[in-house]
């Protein structure tokens, strides 16, 4: 995860989006936050080659027009997008959603904490983990070029 | 299909410990299908 790459937040709830923005500011995460409100908008952003590719996608599940699982299914079937790390952030503890998300190779499934301090700790944990990891897109491109 | 991540093992001991703690913490707060697991420090 590089500082100059944006984080894509796919979230229809304005309050939750504001909370994520506030937490990232508190944690001094310098990556830009791109916020879209449903899967369709997210796909439009991700397939627009003039937009910077995000280093991480934080994805809600229950959204209008195209929900998070539908977006995930499309992303994982798309060679250009399948390597992007997607972390689900949702209120859904539905087993079917959890199992389907992991079958679609999701990189994490987090329940949105109600408590703000817990929200901070969840985002801090995600940020630390993805800063440790090597960037997958670069790895995939390098491997396919040889 | 890629689903997780790729870590380079730090040479420095403390950085290795910190990395493993961060990985463990990440997967502890994840909702996984099936049972949750716990991390214990065998030195304690």
């Amino acid at each position: 995860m590089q500082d100059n790459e944006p984080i894509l937040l796919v979230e229809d709830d304005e309050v939750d989006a504001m909370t994520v923005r506030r937490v990232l500011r508190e944690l001094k995460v310098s990556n830009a936050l791109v916020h879209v409100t449903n899967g369709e908008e997210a796909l439009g952003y991700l397939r627009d080659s003039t937009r910077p590719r995000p280093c991480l996608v934080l994805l809600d599940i229950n959204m209008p027009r195209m929900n998070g699982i539908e977006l995930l299914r499309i992303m994982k079937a798309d060679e250009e997008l399948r390597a992007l790390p997607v972390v689900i952030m949702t209120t859904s503890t539905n087993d079917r959603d959890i199992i389907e998300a992991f079958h679609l190779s999701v990189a994490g499934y987090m329940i949105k904490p109600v408590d703000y301090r817990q929200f901070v700790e969840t985002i801090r944990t995600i940020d630390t983990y993805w800063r440790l990891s090597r960037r997958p897109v670069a790895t995939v491109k390098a491997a396919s070029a040889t | 299909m890629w689903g997780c991540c790729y870590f380079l093992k730090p040479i420095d001991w403390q950085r290795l410990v910190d990395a493993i703690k961060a990985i463990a913490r990440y997967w502890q707060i994840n909702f996984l299908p099936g049972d949750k697991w716990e991390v214990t420090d065998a030195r304690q």
Side-chain angles (χ1 to χ4, degrees):
Chain A
M1 186 160 147
Q2 306 284 319
D3 285 341
N4 59 351
E5 297 167 327
I7 294 168
L8 178 62
L9 174 65
V10 191
E11 172 63 75
D12 66 323
D13 187 308
E14 281 301 324
V15 175
D16 285 345
M18 280 173 60
T19 305
V20 171
R21 196 177 293 280
R22 183 180 161 201
V23 171
L24 291 175
R25 201 178 310 126
E26 179 173 331
L27 294 174
K28 298 183 170 38
V29 173
S30 59
N31 301 69
L33 184 72
V34 175
H35 174 215
V36 294
T37 56
N38 63 61
E40 240 176 52
E41 275 183 47
L43 205 55
Y45 177 89
L46 291 167
R47 287 185 166 160
D48 183 345
S49 57
T50 64
R51 306 290 190 97
R53 191 53 63 84
C55 55
L56 183 68
V57 179
L58 296 175
L59 177 62
D60 187 19
I61 288 188
N62 297 312
M63 293 178 294
R65 293 170 72 177
M66 182 191 291
N67 71 33
I69 295 291
E70 289 170 317
L71 173 64
L72 192 58
R73 198 176 292 126
I74 292 168
M75 285 180 70
K76 295 301 176 182
D78 185 323
E79 200 174 325
E80 287 289 314
L81 303 177
R82 66 166 51 149
L84 288 177
V86 178
V87 176
I88 302 271
M89 284 200 73
T90 180
T91 52
S92 170
T93 54
N94 183 317
D95 275 344
R96 202 179 56 188
D97 284 342
I98 298 171
I99 289 167
E100 188 159 16
F102 276 102
H103 278 168
L104 289 167
S105 302
V106 79
Y109 193 106
M110 310 287 176
I111 302 300
K112 281 182 215 164
V114 179
D115 176 72
Y116 179 73
R117 293 319 312 172
Q118 281 185 20
F119 213 120
V120 173
E121 288 315 308
T122 298
I123 298 281
R124 190 200 307 275
T125 302
I126 295 169
D127 179 59
T128 306
Y129 184 82
W130 287 106
R131 275 185 204 287
L132 277 172
S133 177
R134 304 296 287 187
R135 189 169 184 271
V137 174
T139 308
V140 170
K141 283 191 174 166
S144 60
T146 54
Chain B
M1 188 182 290
W2 182 88
C4 284
C5 44
Y6 191 106
F7 297 111
L8 293 183
K9 275 188 264 184
I11 297 167
D12 175 74
W13 171 255
Q14 191 53 52
R15 287 181 65 186
L16 180 62
V17 170
D18 290 345
I20 290 171
K21 276 186 185 170
I23 294 166
R25 175 77 188 129
Y26 181 84
W27 289 105
Q28 277 178 319
I29 67 168
N30 256 285
F31 267 66
L32 302 173
D35 291 333
K36 303 284 284 180
W37 51 275
E38 290 184 3
V39 177
T40 54
D41 187 340
R43 293 169 301 179
Q44 290 175 357

